[in-house]
Coordinates of all heavy atoms in Angstrom, one line a residue:
T487 N 9.7 -20.8 35.4 CA 10.2 -22.1 35.6 C 9.5 -23.1 34.7 O 10.1 -24.2 34.3 CB 10.1 -22.6 37.0 OG1 8.9 -22.2 37.6 CG2 11.2 -21.9 37.8
F488 N 8.3 -22.8 34.3 CA 7.6 -23.7 33.3 C 8.3 -23.6 32.0 O 8.7 -24.6 31.3 CB 6.1 -23.4 33.1 CG 5.5 -24.2 32.0 CD1 5.2 -25.5 32.2 CD2 5.3 -23.6 30.8 CE1 4.6 -26.3 31.2 CE2 4.7 -24.3 29.8 CZ 4.4 -25.7 30.0
V489 N 8.6 -22.4 31.5 CA 9.2 -22.2 30.2 C 10.6 -22.8 30.2 O 11.1 -23.4 29.3 CB 9.3 -20.7 29.8 CG1 10.2 -20.5 28.6 CG2 7.9 -20.1 29.6
D490 N 11.3 -22.7 31.4 CA 12.6 -23.3 31.5 C 12.6 -24.8 31.5 O 13.6 -25.4 31.1 CB 13.2 -22.9 32.9 CG 14.7 -23.2 33.0 OD1 15.5 -22.8 32.1 OD2 15.1 -23.9 34.0
S491 N 11.4 -25.4 31.8 CA 11.4 -26.9 31.8 C 11.1 -27.5 30.5 O 11.4 -28.7 30.3 CB 10.2 -27.3 32.8 OG 10.5 -26.9 34.1
V492 N 10.5 -26.8 29.5 CA 10.2 -27.4 28.3 C 11.4 -27.5 27.4 O 12.4 -26.8 27.6 CB 9.1 -26.6 27.5 CG1 7.8 -26.6 28.4 CG2 9.6 -25.2 27.1
L493 N 11.4 -28.4 26.4 CA 12.5 -28.5 25.4 C 12.7 -27.2 24.8 O 11.8 -26.4 24.5 CB 12.1 -29.6 24.4 CG 12.2 -31.0 24.8 CD1 11.6 -31.9 23.7 CD2 13.6 -31.4 25.1
N494 N 14.0 -26.9 24.5 CA 14.3 -25.6 23.9 C 13.6 -25.4 22.5 O 13.2 -24.3 22.2 CB 15.9 -25.6 23.6 CG 16.3 -24.3 23.1 OD1 16.1 -23.2 23.8 ND2 16.9 -24.2 22.0
E495 N 13.4 -26.5 21.8 CA 12.7 -26.3 20.5 C 11.2 -25.9 20.7 O 10.6 -25.4 19.7 CB 12.7 -27.7 19.7 CG 12.0 -28.8 20.4 CD 12.3 -30.2 19.8 OE1 13.5 -30.5 19.8 OE2 11.4 -30.9 19.5
N496 N 10.7 -26.0 21.9 CA 9.3 -25.6 22.2 C 9.2 -24.3 22.8 O 8.1 -23.8 23.0 CB 8.7 -26.7 23.1 CG 8.6 -28.0 22.5 OD1 8.4 -28.2 21.3 ND2 8.7 -29.1 23.3
R497 N 10.3 -23.6 23.0 CA 10.3 -22.2 23.6 C 10.3 -21.2 22.5 O 11.3 -20.8 21.9 CB 11.6 -22.0 24.4 CG 11.6 -22.8 25.7 CD 12.8 -22.2 26.5 NE 13.2 -23.2 27.5 CZ 14.4 -23.9 27.5 NH1 15.2 -23.6 26.5 NH2 14.6 -24.8 28.4
S498 N 9.1 -20.7 22.2 CA 9.0 -19.7 21.2 C 9.4 -18.3 21.8 O 9.4 -18.2 23.0 CB 7.5 -19.6 20.6 OG 6.7 -19.1 21.7
E499 N 9.6 -17.3 20.9 CA 9.9 -16.0 21.4 C 8.7 -15.4 22.2 O 8.9 -14.7 23.2 CB 10.3 -15.1 20.2 CG 11.6 -15.4 19.6 CD 12.8 -15.4 20.6 OE1 12.9 -14.5 21.4 OE2 13.5 -16.4 20.5
K500 N 7.5 -15.8 21.8 CA 6.3 -15.3 22.5 C 6.3 -15.9 23.9 O 6.0 -15.1 24.9 CB 5.1 -15.7 21.8 CG 4.8 -15.0 20.5 CD 3.4 -15.5 19.9 CE 3.1 -14.7 18.6 NZ 1.8 -15.2 18.1
A501 N 6.6 -17.1 24.0 CA 6.6 -17.8 25.4 C 7.7 -17.2 26.3 O 7.4 -16.9 27.5 CB 6.8 -19.3 25.2
K502 N 8.9 -17.0 25.7 CA 10.0 -16.4 26.5 C 9.7 -15.0 26.9 O 9.9 -14.6 28.1 CB 11.3 -16.5 25.7 CG 11.8 -17.9 25.5 CD 13.2 -17.9 24.9 CE 13.1 -17.6 23.4 NZ 14.5 -17.8 22.8
E503 N 9.1 -14.2 26.0 CA 8.8 -12.8 26.4 C 7.7 -12.7 27.4 O 7.7 -11.9 28.3 CB 8.4 -12.0 25.1 CG 9.6 -11.7 24.2 CD 10.6 -10.8 24.8 OE1 10.2 -10.1 25.8 OE2 11.7 -10.7 24.3
E504 N 6.7 -13.6 27.3 CA 5.6 -13.7 28.3 C 6.1 -14.1 29.6 O 5.7 -13.5 30.7 CB 4.5 -14.7 27.8 CG 3.4 -14.9 28.8 CD 2.5 -13.6 29.0 OE1 2.6 -12.7 28.2 OE2 1.8 -13.6 30.0
A505 N 7.0 -15.0 29.7 CA 7.6 -15.4 31.0 C 8.4 -14.3 31.6 O 8.3 -14.0 32.8 CB 8.5 -16.6 30.8
K506 N 9.2 -13.6 30.8 CA 9.9 -12.5 31.3 C 9.0 -11.3 31.8 O 9.2 -10.8 32.9 CB 10.8 -11.9 30.2 CG 11.6 -10.7 30.6 CD 12.5 -10.2 29.4 CE 13.2 -8.9 29.8 NZ 14.1 -8.4 28.7
S507 N 8.0 -11.0 31.0 CA 7.1 -10.0 31.3 C 6.3 -10.3 32.6 O 6.1 -9.4 33.5 CB 6.1 -9.7 30.2 OG 5.1 -8.8 30.6
G508 N 5.9 -11.6 32.7 CA 5.2 -12.0 33.9 C 6.1 -11.9 35.2 O 5.6 -11.4 36.2
F509 N 7.3 -12.2 35.0 CA 8.2 -12.1 36.2 C 8.4 -10.6 36.6 O 8.3 -10.3 37.8 CB 9.6 -12.7 35.9 CG 10.7 -12.4 36.9 CD1 10.6 -12.9 38.2 CD2 11.7 -11.5 36.6 CE1 11.6 -12.6 39.1 CE2 12.6 -11.1 37.5 CZ 12.6 -11.7 38.8
F510 N 8.7 -9.8 35.6 CA 8.9 -8.3 36.0 C 7.6 -7.7 36.6 O 7.7 -6.9 37.5 CB 9.3 -7.6 34.7 CG 10.8 -7.5 34.5 CD1 11.3 -8.1 33.4 CD2 11.6 -6.9 35.4 CE1 12.7 -8.1 33.2 CE2 13.0 -6.9 35.2 CZ 13.5 -7.5 34.1

Side-chain angles (χ1 to χ4, degrees):
T487 45
F488 174 77
V489 172
D490 191 53
S491 297
V492 301
L493 284 171
N494 186 58
E495 63 193 55
N496 296 327
R497 291 190 200 110
S498 67
E499 291 304 313
K500 286 183 180 179
K502 291 188 283 188
E503 288 294 341
E504 176 64 17
K506 177 181 177 180
S507 174
F509 168 70
F510 271 116

